[in-house]
């Protein structure tokens, strides 16, 4: 079977390339406003068993939030941005608890200690 080679007007082979400028990757990151809300949420939840939170920029998921509760020495939860959603994972059982449209909704699923933003 003959192989077809595409040629331009000068008869030299050329490669067909995708127009990279037409593709806009959407990757959500943890912004300063998210960090502020996380701090407020953690402080408000101390009496409800929240212990600590860490934003882990070195994780494979990038900007991964780990959350400890008093009952556990290991992080109990992880919140990670994925596309336009926030994924909440039970780290102890490696089980996804849900995908949320905002960080405050994901944190509210763990402990509802602050009003949700609309």
């Amino acid at each position: 079977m003959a192989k077809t080679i595409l040629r331009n007007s000068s008869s030299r082979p050329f490669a067909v390339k995708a127009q990279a400028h037409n593709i806009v990757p959407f990757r959500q990151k943890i912004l300063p406003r998210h960090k502020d809300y996380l701090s407020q949420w953690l402080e408000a939840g101390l009496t409800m068993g929240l212990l600590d939170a860490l934003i882990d920029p070195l994780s494979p998921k990038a900007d991964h939030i780990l959350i400890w509760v008093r009952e556990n020495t290991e992080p109990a939860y992880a919140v990670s941005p994925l596309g336009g959603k926030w994924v909440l994972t039970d780290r102890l059982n490696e089980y996804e608890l849900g995908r949320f449209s905002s960080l405050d909704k994901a944190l509210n699923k763990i402990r509802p200690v602050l009003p949700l933003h609309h």
Side-chain angles (χ1 to χ4, degrees):
M1 182 178 274
K3 187 175 181 182
T4 303
I5 298 175
L6 297 174
R7 296 189 180 275
N8 61 17
S9 60
S10 67
S11 296
R12 290 190 306 244
F14 67 97
V16 178
K17 294 183 182 179
Q19 297 294 327
H21 56 68
N22 291 337
I23 300 170
V24 179
F26 181 73
R27 183 169 179 173
Q28 190 163 305
K29 291 279 198 175
I30 297 173
L31 302 173
R33 65 182 169 87
H34 296 129
K35 292 176 185 178
D36 291 343
Y37 188 85
L38 179 62
S39 292
Q40 292 171 14
W41 176 81
L42 186 60
E43 186 176 331
L46 288 174
T47 60
M48 292 184 67
L50 295 174
L51 185 61
D52 201 4
L54 169 72
I55 296 172
D56 184 5
L58 301 177
S59 74
K61 294 184 180 181
D63 284 341
H64 181 88
I65 301 171
L66 300 175
I67 299 167
W68 282 261
V69 295
R70 275 182 244 184
E71 309 85 65
N72 303 304
T73 57
E74 295 295 318
Y77 302 97
V79 182
S80 306
L82 179 65
K85 300 285 184 182
W86 294 87
V87 180
L88 174 61
T89 305
D90 175 337
R91 291 271 310 221
L92 301 174
N93 297 309
E94 292 300 322
Y95 179 77
E96 185 178 304
L97 297 171
R99 293 178 184 218
F100 302 87
S101 60
S102 65
L103 177 61
D104 58 324
K105 289 179 182 175
L107 295 175
N108 187 65
K109 177 75 174 175
I110 299 170
R111 298 285 195 279
V113 297
L114 290 177
L116 294 173
H117 294 122
H118 295 287

